[in-house]
Amino acid sequence: MEYNKAFSTLMYNMWRSGVGAEALEKERMDKEVGASRRVAASTATAIRDVSSAKERMESQLRNWVNRLLKYKGNSRVGRLYSAVNDGLLLLRVLDTLSKGIVDWKKVEMNPTNQFKCISNNNYAVALATQAPFLFSLVGIAGVDLVRGNEKLTLALVWQLMRFQLFKNLDLLLSGKKSNHRSSVIGRSTASGPSSSSSSSSSSIKPTLTRARTGSGNKRFNEKTLLEHANKAVHCAFRECKGAEWREIVSESCARLSSFSDTHLANSHYMLVLLTWVIHPSSSIPWKLVTPGRSANEKNDNAKLLISLARKHGATVYIMPRDIVELKTDMIVTLFAAILGLSVGKKKKRNL
């Protein structure tokens, strides 16, 4: 018996110091490699998601620039980052949004070297910080745009797009008409239920008003956009108690605190807003609207929302995935487009 114990102990020690130790070390290494691979995979996925979001943003801003400048065919901007390289594109956008702001005598119209490109872009950045734009462009310089810095390029062009959104809502509210065809936010150039040319200042909804800044100037901004949207949805819940959509949309979604609220991902709030704006509500096929619990259901609702908004004349650049992922910047553009449809309607309703 003692010999058996001694033999077992010897075998165990030999296994621990030899083959067994190698097996344990291999198992430990496999675990470490597996963990490293999982971290690398998750990092790669995150990078792909960020890259995908940037590509979508670039595509939407590029489409906006092409529409604003009426570029067609070969003249269309194909890649935003390279298009702003010489500064001429940004200067054209600035001059379109505010006629006469660019002194073209100061512009290098044939920028053949990097120094001339930087000079043009520096001029564009300087103009963007002046009235009427007054952008905060801390850390953005002409050299960043020449080098194709994606983040800073998107930030600047987005602020230009935002400026146009709220400027055109101001124009709609004041009853003035813009000079260029694509300027009126929420109004498509295509013929449709909401693209009537007979719209006038008398058809503007009475409670759609602009916010006042401390200096006494009136400015439309995200806060007032949110207020108008909440008023519209509140009225919809109050007056449409027997509507078909009340069985689908929860009343807890009737209030929005910010454009990043999680319940926006199912598109119910925006569908109710669109229903109230376009009236009658029968224009919305609510049988196709899903509860929006899964990612696929949210995506289907977002596709339906965008399709209906475009059908009724809204100029929409946002993509379904932007709604599902709560991309605040692009959601703001959708709200502005939908509320823009409220102007020119024959039936007045409190917004």
Side-chain angles (χ1 to χ4, degrees):
M1 190 66 180
E2 295 296 330
Y3 289 110
N4 290 338
K5 288 183 179 180
F7 180 76
S8 298
T9 302
L10 179 63
M11 290 296 101
Y12 177 76
N13 290 334
M14 289 177 63
W15 180 82
R16 288 284 295 177
S17 60
V19 179
E22 292 179 2
L24 290 173
E25 182 65 18
K26 183 179 179 181
E27 182 180 357
R28 185 183 66 80
M29 291 294 294
D30 289 343
K31 287 181 179 179
E32 290 182 357
V33 170
S36 300
R37 286 177 178 173
R38 286 193 295 272
V39 171
S42 62
T43 303
T45 301
I47 292 174
R48 282 196 300 270
D49 289 343
V50 171
S51 177
S52 175
K54 277 187 177 181
E55 289 300 313
R56 295 200 310 272
M57 187 73 160
E58 186 272 340
S59 173
Q60 293 156 35
L61 293 176
R62 170 166 34 92
N63 290 334
W64 170 76
V65 169
N66 284 324
R67 183 179 176 84
L68 178 74
L69 301 179
K70 302 178 184 178
Y71 282 172
K72 297 180 180 179
N74 294 332
S75 63
R76 289 179 63 85
V77 175
R79 185 72 173 167
L80 191 61
Y81 307 127
S82 57
V84 303
N85 182 271
D86 59 9
L88 294 177
L89 180 70
L90 287 176
L91 290 169
R92 292 190 186 102
V93 170
L94 289 163
D95 197 59
T96 303
L97 295 176
S98 180
K99 290 294 183 182
I101 193 172
V102 178
D103 183 357
W104 293 102
K105 294 180 181 179
K106 298 181 179 180
V107 178
E108 298 286 349
M109 298 305 295
N110 186 27
T112 55
N113 57 57
Q114 191 177 31
F115 297 105
K116 292 182 179 180
C117 293
I118 292 175
S119 174
N120 284 347
N121 278 299
N122 281 335
Y123 183 40
V125 171
L127 290 177
T129 60
Q130 300 173 13
F133 302 105
L134 301 176
F135 296 162
S136 176
L137 301 178
V138 178
I140 300 180
V143 66
D144 299 312
L145 304 175
V146 172
R147 292 174 179 173
N149 187 303
E150 296 180 2
K151 182 178 180 181
L152 299 181
T153 300
L154 293 179
L156 175 55
V157 180
W158 157 247
Q159 288 197 63
L160 290 168
M161 183 179 181
R162 176 187 176 278
F163 173 83
Q164 191 217 16
L165 294 177
F166 295 131
K167 175 186 175 182
N168 290 321
L169 281 174
D170 277 338
L171 290 173
L172 292 172
L173 292 171
S174 62
K176 297 178 182 179
K177 293 183 179 179
S178 181
N179 293 328
H180 50 86
R181 178 184 58 167
S182 61
S183 66
V184 180
I185 185 65
R187 308 293 294 177
S188 175
T189 56
S191 60
S194 60
S195 57
S196 172
S197 60
S198 61
S199 61
S200 64
S201 60
S202 61
S203 62
I204 298 175
K205 299 189 177 185
T207 58
L208 189 61
T209 56
R210 290 168 289 179
R212 289 183 179 272
T213 60
S215 59
N217 295 326
K218 294 180 177 180
R219 283 290 181 88
F220 208 99
N221 53 36
E222 284 90 346
K223 182 180 178 180
T224 50
L225 192 67
L226 195 64
E227 289 174 357
H228 298 319
N230 278 330
K231 286 180 183 179
V233 174
H234 175 73
C235 290
F237 272 90
R238 184 184 61 197
E239 298 187 15
C240 306
K241 294 182 179 179
E244 182 182 5
W245 55 267
R246 291 297 298 268
E247 300 177 2
I248 302 172
V249 183
S250 170
E251 198 160 353
S252 61
C253 300
R255 184 73 185 173
L256 200 65
S257 59
S258 72
F259 290 109
S260 59
D261 282 8
T262 54
H263 66 79
L264 278 177
N266 61 23
S267 300
H268 288 174
Y269 182 97
M270 289 168 285
L271 283 167
V272 174
L273 178 62
L274 183 62
T275 299
W276 179 256
V277 166
I278 63 177
H279 189 67
S281 58
S282 58
S283 302
I284 303 290
W286 283 97
K287 292 181 180 179
L288 301 179
V289 179
T290 67
R293 296 188 182 93
S294 66
N296 288 335
E297 288 183 344
K298 291 176 181 177
N299 194 61
D300 290 341
N301 286 349
K303 288 180 180 178
L304 179 64
L305 169 65
I306 293 172
S307 176
L308 290 170
R310 286 174 175 161
K311 175 184 175 182
H312 289 279
T315 303
V316 178
Y317 301 101
I318 195 172
M319 297 181 185
R321 191 173 174 183
D322 295 320
I323 299 175
V324 176
E325 296 180 359
L326 296 174
K327 299 300 181 183
T328 307
D329 292 343
M330 299 314 299
I331 288 176
V332 168
T333 68
L334 179 59
F335 271 75
I338 293 175
L339 287 175
L341 292 176
S342 65
V343 182
K345 293 295 180 182
K346 293 181 180 179
K347 287 190 176 184
K348 294 182 184 179
R349 304 182 69 175
N350 290 331
L351 182 58

